[in-house]
Amino acid sequence: MKILTDLQACQSAPHRERGIGRYALSLAAEMNRLRGESEFRIALNAAIPDTIEAVRAAFPEDADFSIWSGMKRTAWNRCENEQRRVAGGVVRSAALAAKRMDIHHISSFFEGYIDDVVVDIPEVRRTPVAVTLYDLIPLLYQGIYLPDERMRAWYLSRVEALKRADILLAISECTRRDAIEHLGMEPSRVVNISAAADPMFRSCRPHPDAEAALRARYGLNRRILLYTGGIDHRKNTVRLIEAFSRVDPAIRSGVQLAIVCEINGDTEQMLLAQAASMGLASGELVLTGYVSDKDLVTLYNLCEAFVFPSWYEGFGLPVLEAMACGAAVIASDRASVPELVGRSDALFNPFRTDDIAARITEVLTDDGFRRNLREHSLAQARQFSWESSAARAIEAMAEAVQSAAPVVAVAIGGTGDHRPALAYIAPLPPEQTGIADYSGELLPHLAEHYRIVLVTDQTRIEMSAGCPELEVRDLAWFERNGGSFERILYHFGNSPFHGHMFGLLERFGGVVVLHDFYLSGVVSHLHWASKIPGFWSEYLYRSHGYRALIDLASGEDPEELLLRYPCNAPVIENADGVIVHSQHSRELARIFYGEDAASDWSVVPLLKALPERLEKRQSRVELGIPADDFIVCSFGILGDSKLNHRLLEAWQSSSLACNDRCKLIFVGGAHDPVFGAALREQINSGPGSDRVTITGYASADDYSRYLQAADVAVQLRRSSRGETSAALFDCLAHGVPTIVNAHGSMAELAPGSVVSLQDDFESAALTAELEGLYAVPQARERLAEASARYCRENLDPRSIASQYRDAIEHAYLNSPTQSVRDAGVQLARSWGAIDEGDRGLVAEAMAANLPMQLSVKQMLVDVTELTKRDAKSGIQRVVRSIVSWLLKSQPNGYRVEPVYADPNGGYRYAREFCCEFLKLEPMGL
């Protein structure tokens, strides 16, 4: 489970130094300690920067922090601007949703009225929310705590939002009951996790010198009846003073009532005046003011008894602190306090002064009672621990995650069709590309899960007879309506067929199927053929940094650059999710972009339906191939990366080359005329050249006939760029015994479904396998059965379509960029009410919180001095040399990025400087 805890309670001006802040910090620290295999992350608001390091210091160095960008200090969330507060909440929700955690925990919800803290629970969210609930005192006693109309409106709006929480973590059983009764929460959604005292509160007799110094510091020269907890109407301090005044003077004369808490001058004078009016002599009431935690521990240990008269507490932490120090505690019998004290004879009615006085008298005069209370305190305090509270909290959150309703897409429009609407953007049949054929096989089955709209400018579409009629829209229509789709699916390949998808993806997002990991071919085509200025250099830079731009400017063979750089990072970053056909593609992502680059990608195998029937004899008749000949075929475009020349070499070295009944057929043509000519020359110079054929481009019918006619297929690869061979799966589906080398995705095929050579195989090994399959027909039969079974069990189109559905839904559910789009929808509702000057702040915060899909490690080099006009000193010349070397060498695993100091604060990327420094064409970034 992945838990994200919002610790703004430790940044909040009203609470960070008080009980709520201390509770939140202690609970979070223990949850972090108990996380085990779970992920525990702490979220803090960058808009309150002076508090961040203090919170960090309270955790181990390995604690995981997420600092999200709230609004700059412009009274953004203050009570006088409701729209700012709402917008701030949307920004926060988007920032945290982008972290892709299983549950969000808010450590204190009633925050943000007078400071820059932002908390909210969106009405529509993808992640369950847990909230620590301390109490509902202002709701229960509105006349006392909500006298101001604006404050009341704000608090009540917070109460309504609180009801949206998936789980409330109440700090006492009393608070739990209040949430159930007054919020109408289901009992199962409110869990008592209790609380604990800080370990510093413990029984320890102070050194006599320390005791004397403390007593002198606060004017304490008698036995101490201690109270701490604040001056507040419900704290009942006035009645406590009155009750103390009613204790027999003979008992009282040797005792001082010490009220320990921060107190302003007016309140101090008021309490002293009341004490005098009630007959207390000077020195009988001591108002210490603020005391340090160290002194408070000493006072708990020194006091004769601790009295707590509050008539309402969410928990009553001072009671537990006093008990943990072994103090004799007497307290109110209301709200949560009895839960802590744990014995009725130590309680009193806080509204009856005489009852309080009687209990004070008893504890001061009855040595046995007092001693018994002290023993009980130590035992009772051990029942409360942060470990127990944190364990309960984690367990409650796990149950909330388990029972959270899944996010289900709702179809647009009023059709009554509950399938989500999906825009499908890909080449379609009859375009001469394998992805078009692939779409033709996938769409009939994908339509069972989605209401599909085909987005294309093709003038002709030829779907199979089994495909339902699908709505077709052109690109111009999609440009106007793309934002209304719940799901968008792009099929990206490395050819010009996909050039229009880059802009659509950047604007509308969606899930990307990377049929080819490398997109350098289509990217360079858009630059050179489609005349999009700077497209090639921009994608090189964004994907691979300055090293790639230096190579581009060097005049190096463009074909080498296409093979070296995938050039796909912007596509990955703009995608809500990525689907690939092999683990090999994920491995390439890790090589180019870091260990976590493909951690959330889905692997969906290439689909392939088994042909309805095989007509081997008829196909051979139609192709003019004798029925008894042994036919070895290689399918697909010829080229150096397909190792067709290595197959020919192995063939010519085999006995098959001299056998009149054996033929080798390359089914396909060469795009590279140089390679094609070299292959033909190799054929003509070897044995049996009249039985080696290159068919050139084969029609779909002829391609199928060759698949049915072949006895053996050989499909080899090198320099894989993440593609998956459709031709290979055609062979398997047709039951053609197939030889491959274990390169790229072909290494992932099930053992026994193919004959697998080593990746860097010897020609003799291929020769031996060809001769073995020719000599042993039974081996061919076993392979044919195994390959067809592999397709049937792993590549069935209906099953693959279901995997697509799961991958698409997972992507949209977990997409970090989707949270930003959700926020945009929410912000649009109140955009008109937000001051125009504030809209920029919203945009800045949203941009700052946008997640990086590819978090490649960066080496930031400060070149501020080099950006100055007079950067000509000796040191600066040395620095220029160092920067030049770093940019050109790009240390392994790092992307070198020069930066410069902004006069207004912070740093900026020095991209214009780098282009000039490296003598590159400006990129416009």
Side-chain angles (χ1 to χ4, degrees):
M1 182 172 61
K2 297 187 289 186
I3 302 171
L4 184 144
T5 286
D6 182 326
L7 266 193
Q8 288 181 91
C10 300
Q11 298 183 276
S12 163
H15 291 143
R16 60 180 176 243
E17 302 294 344
R18 299 177 64 184
I20 287 178
R22 289 166 69 161
Y23 182 101
L25 193 64
S26 296
L27 181 67
E30 191 62 22
M31 289 171 65
N32 181 63
R33 191 183 73 82
L34 295 180
R35 68 186 185 275
E37 297 300 315
S38 297
E39 183 177 340
F40 184 80
R41 189 176 298 178
I42 301 149
L44 296 174
N45 186 347
I48 316 175
D50 53 332
T51 63
I52 291 174
E53 289 310 314
V55 178
R56 280 187 188 273
F59 289 85
E61 287 187 4
D62 64 349
D64 191 356
F65 283 84
S66 287
I67 313 299
W68 60 277
S69 293
M71 304 306 151
K72 295 178 180 177
R73 290 186 179 276
T74 56
W76 180 266
N77 302 299
R78 299 185 193 279
C79 54
E80 65 266 21
N81 194 323
E82 175 67 9
Q83 291 305 327
R84 284 180 171 183
R85 186 190 64 75
V86 171
V90 171
V91 169
R92 171 194 171 275
S93 297
L96 299 190
K99 307 301 180 186
R100 294 190 288 181
M101 306 297 278
D102 293 323
I103 191 165
H104 294 164
H105 169 224
I106 299 173
S107 58
S108 179
F109 195 70
F110 294 96
E111 306 280 0
Y113 183 67
I114 59 171
D115 60 16
D116 291 310
V117 172
V118 184
V119 288
D120 200 7
I121 304 174
E123 293 183 34
V124 178
R125 59 189 181 278
R126 297 167 181 270
T127 307
V129 174
V131 178
T132 300
L133 181 61
Y134 299 91
D135 61 65
L136 292 171
I137 293 170
L139 178 67
L140 303 180
Y141 303 99
Q142 295 183 36
I144 298 173
Y145 292 99
L146 300 175
D148 179 78
E149 194 60 41
R150 286 191 307 177
M151 179 64 163
R152 180 185 292 112
W154 174 84
Y155 184 88
L156 294 179
S157 72
R158 299 284 77 206
V159 168
E160 290 305 308
L162 179 64
K163 295 176 183 178
R164 297 196 288 265
D166 296 87
I167 194 80
L168 294 182
L169 307 175
I171 66 169
S172 68
E173 189 60 32
C174 172
T175 296
R176 179 177 181 271
R177 289 194 303 268
D178 285 344
I180 295 169
E181 180 179 351
H182 299 287
L183 300 183
M185 299 286 286
E186 298 172 13
S188 61
R189 291 172 56 201
V190 191
V191 177
N192 173 17
I193 65 168
S194 195
D198 190 283
M200 68 179 173
F201 294 101
R202 58 189 178 85
S203 177
C204 56
R205 188 67 189 176
H207 189 276
D209 292 343
E211 177 182 345
L214 179 138
R215 285 181 174 276
R217 190 155 55 246
Y218 298 114
L220 298 168
N221 50 26
R222 309 173 205 172
R223 298 164 73 197
I224 302 168
L225 179 64
L226 183 66
Y227 162 78
T228 186
I231 306 297
D232 188 322
H233 187 83
R234 66 186 166 87
K235 299 295 186 180
N236 215 17
T237 49
V238 173
R239 191 173 277 118
L240 171 62
I241 295 170
E242 182 181 359
F244 184 62
S245 72
R246 295 189 185 185
V247 173
D248 186 319
I251 300 170
R252 204 178 66 222
S253 61
V255 179
Q256 290 172 300
L257 173 59
I259 294 180
V260 176
C261 61
E262 194 167 357
I263 185 170
N264 63 47
D266 291 342
T267 303
E268 181 179 3
Q269 292 306 312
M270 180 269 291
L271 291 177
L272 291 173
Q274 287 183 333
S277 70
M278 294 170 185
L280 291 178
S282 176
E284 286 190 290
L285 173 64
V286 177
L287 304 177
T288 66
Y290 171 80
V291 304
S292 68
D293 286 341
K294 180 180 179 182
D295 283 356
L296 181 58
V297 172
T298 304
L299 287 168
Y300 280 141
N301 276 274
L302 284 177
C303 70
E304 200 72 15
F306 178 80
V307 58
F308 197 71
S310 173
W311 47 260
Y312 206 95
E313 291 290 324
F315 184 77
L317 188 58
V319 173
L320 188 58
E321 291 174 348
M323 296 176 77
C325 293
V329 174
I330 57 173
S332 161
D333 64 1
R334 303 302 161 98
S336 62
V337 179
E339 299 175 40
L340 305 184
V341 176
R343 55 187 286 176
S344 60
D345 61 346
L347 304 177
F348 51 74
N349 185 332
F351 297 105
R352 293 178 57 187
T353 307
D354 288 343
D355 200 19
I356 302 173
R359 194 64 74 206
I360 291 174
T361 299
E362 183 180 14
V363 78
L364 292 176
T365 59
D366 187 334
D367 293 345
F369 177 59
R370 190 169 60 253
R371 185 169 51 252
N372 190 265
L373 283 180
R374 284 176 174 161
E375 292 172 356
H376 170 76
S377 286
L378 292 172
Q380 178 72 358
R382 286 193 288 270
Q383 304 301 312
F384 299 85
S385 71
W386 286 119
E387 181 176 7
S388 174
S389 293
R392 289 184 212 169
I394 292 171
E395 182 181 0
M397 290 186 208
E399 290 178 2
V401 170
Q402 189 83 21
S403 60
V407 177
V408 179
V410 180
I412 57 173
T415 63
D417 187 342
H418 296 293
R419 293 171 302 166
L422 180 140
Y424 189 96
I425 306 176
L428 301 167
E431 292 283 22
Q432 292 185 11
T433 165
I435 295 176
D437 297 334
Y438 182 88
S439 292
E441 288 191 72
L442 174 63
L443 279 166
H445 305 286
L446 193 63
E448 296 175 12
H449 306 288
Y450 295 102
R451 186 158 55 85
I452 295 175
V453 176
L454 303 177
V455 178
T456 180
D457 276 348
Q458 288 179 217
T459 56
R460 187 164 61 99
I461 298 174
E462 295 179 359
M463 303 303 295
S464 64
C467 185
E469 187 172 344
L470 302 174
E471 184 178 351
V472 180
R473 295 288 187 173
D474 61 24
L475 297 182
W477 179 90
F478 185 75
E479 287 278 5
R480 298 190 301 270
N481 297 280
S484 64
F485 279 89
E486 301 145 301
R487 304 288 185 265
I488 304 175
L489 185 67
Y490 305 83
H491 288 267
F492 267 86
N494 194 25
S495 74
F497 287 108
H498 308 271
H500 61 289
M501 298 180 187
F502 290 84
L504 297 180
L505 175 65
E506 185 170 0
R507 180 175 173 189
F508 298 110
V511 176
V512 166
V513 184
L514 276 181
H515 289 269
D516 297 294
F517 183 80
Y518 278 64
L519 299 179
S520 45
V522 59
V523 168
S524 62
H525 174 85
L526 288 171
H527 177 92
W528 299 111
S530 299
K531 310 299 183 187
I532 302 178
F535 197 77
W536 178 217
S537 55
E538 178 187 343
Y539 267 61
L540 275 172
Y541 166 73
R542 290 175 62 184
S543 300
H544 309 291
Y546 291 104
R547 174 67 261 177
L549 293 178
I550 293 169
D551 289 347
L552 178 64
S554 70
E556 189 173 350
D557 182 356
E559 290 297 322
E560 285 297 319
L561 295 183
L562 297 183
L563 294 172
R564 186 179 307 157
Y565 296 118
C567 227
N568 59 8
V571 169
I572 297 168
E573 289 171 337
N574 288 327
D576 289 295
V578 175
I579 298 172
V580 291
H581 298 312
S582 68
Q583 293 293 344
H584 176 60
S585 288
R586 297 182 70 184
E587 181 59 29
L588 287 173
R590 286 191 283 269
I591 290 171
F592 281 99
Y593 302 124
E595 198 60 36
D596 298 328
S599 59
D600 206 34
W601 290 13
S602 295
V603 177
V604 176
L606 203 75
L607 62 79
K608 186 56 61 180
L610 295 175
E612 291 185 5
R613 56 181 180 174
L614 299 176
E615 296 288 354
K616 186 168 188 172
R617 184 173 296 277
Q618 181 62 31
S619 293
R620 289 197 170 202
V621 169
E622 294 172 358
L623 292 171
I625 298 174
D628 296 332
D629 279 4
F630 180 73
I631 305 298
V632 175
C633 290
S634 179
F635 294 88
I637 296 170
L638 308 182
D640 180 71
S641 65
K642 304 294 183 66
L643 298 179
N644 307 105
H645 56 296
R646 295 289 308 281
L647 168 58
L648 181 58
E649 177 185 323
W651 173 270
Q652 291 175 333
S653 300
S654 74
S655 59
L656 307 183
C658 302
N659 187 328
D660 291 342
R661 307 306 300 271
C662 297
K663 294 184 173 63
L664 173 63
I665 303 175
F666 293 99
V667 183
H671 280 182
D672 180 1
V674 175
F675 181 85
L679 191 65
R680 285 188 172 85
E681 183 177 343
Q682 183 181 349
I683 292 170
N684 294 332
S685 62
S689 59
D690 58 328
R691 285 177 282 104
V692 179
T693 305
I694 299 175
T695 67
Y697 172 76
S699 67
D701 289 340
D702 278 350
Y703 180 81
S704 178
R705 292 185 183 104
Y706 278 110
L707 282 168
Q708 295 179 55
D711 291 298
V712 171
V714 181
Q715 302 297 126
L716 306 173
R717 282 293 174 99
R718 78 171 185 85
S719 302
S720 170
R721 295 187 287 171
E723 69 278 5
T724 300
S725 172
L728 167 62
F729 287 104
D730 286 333
C731 295
L732 300 184
H734 283 77
V736 182
T738 304
I739 301 172
V740 303
N741 62 321
H743 180 77
S745 62
M746 295 194 300
E748 300 170 28
L749 293 168
S753 60
V754 293
V755 174
S756 185
L757 305 173
Q758 291 184 354
D759 184 1
D760 187 15
F761 63 93
E762 298 288 340
S763 294
L766 177 54
T767 297
E769 293 295 350
L770 288 169
E771 291 179 337
L773 288 175
Y774 172 71
V776 186
Q778 296 87 347
R780 299 202 300 271
E781 291 173 7
R782 288 194 297 271
L783 267 177
E785 291 172 2
S787 61
R789 182 169 61 251
Y790 174 82
C791 289
R792 185 167 54 251
E793 294 175 355
N794 298 280
L795 308 180
D796 174 66
R798 177 167 273 104
S799 171
I800 295 298
S802 295
Q803 293 181 52
Y804 262 97
R805 176 205 58 207
D806 294 344
I808 293 167
E809 296 309 305
H810 172 81
Y812 272 94
L813 182 62
N814 294 281
S815 166
T817 50
Q818 188 63 28
S819 64
V820 177
R821 296 192 188 95
D822 290 346
V825 173
Q826 295 177 61
L827 285 170
R829 297 171 187 161
S830 57
W831 196 246
I834 299 176
D835 292 341
E836 189 168 344
D838 292 335
R839 295 177 183 179
L841 296 174
V842 178
E844 283 187 18
M846 292 293 285
N849 290 315
L850 275 171
M852 293 179 65
Q853 297 283 67
L854 297 176
S855 52
V856 179
K857 287 190 285 189
Q858 297 180 96
M859 180 184 292
L860 302 180
V861 184
D862 187 339
V863 298
T864 306
E865 287 299 311
L866 300 187
T867 62
K868 299 176 180 178
R869 291 181 180 273
D870 58 348
K872 297 177 181 177
S873 71
I875 290 178
Q876 288 163 333
R877 286 197 296 273
V878 172
V879 173
R880 291 176 72 88
S881 298
I882 293 172
V883 172
S884 177
W885 181 84
L886 284 170
L887 288 169
K888 291 175 182 177
S889 64
Q890 189 138 309
N892 190 36
Y894 287 88
R895 178 169 173 154
V896 178
E897 286 286 357
V899 296
Y900 67 94
D902 187 330
N904 297 317
Y907 278 81
R908 294 183 178 274
Y909 288 109
R911 289 169 178 145
E912 291 182 13
F913 164 82
C914 277
C915 287
E916 182 179 345
F917 180 74
L918 296 170
K919 297 180 173 55
L920 305 174
E921 294 183 7
M923 292 180 293
L925 296 176

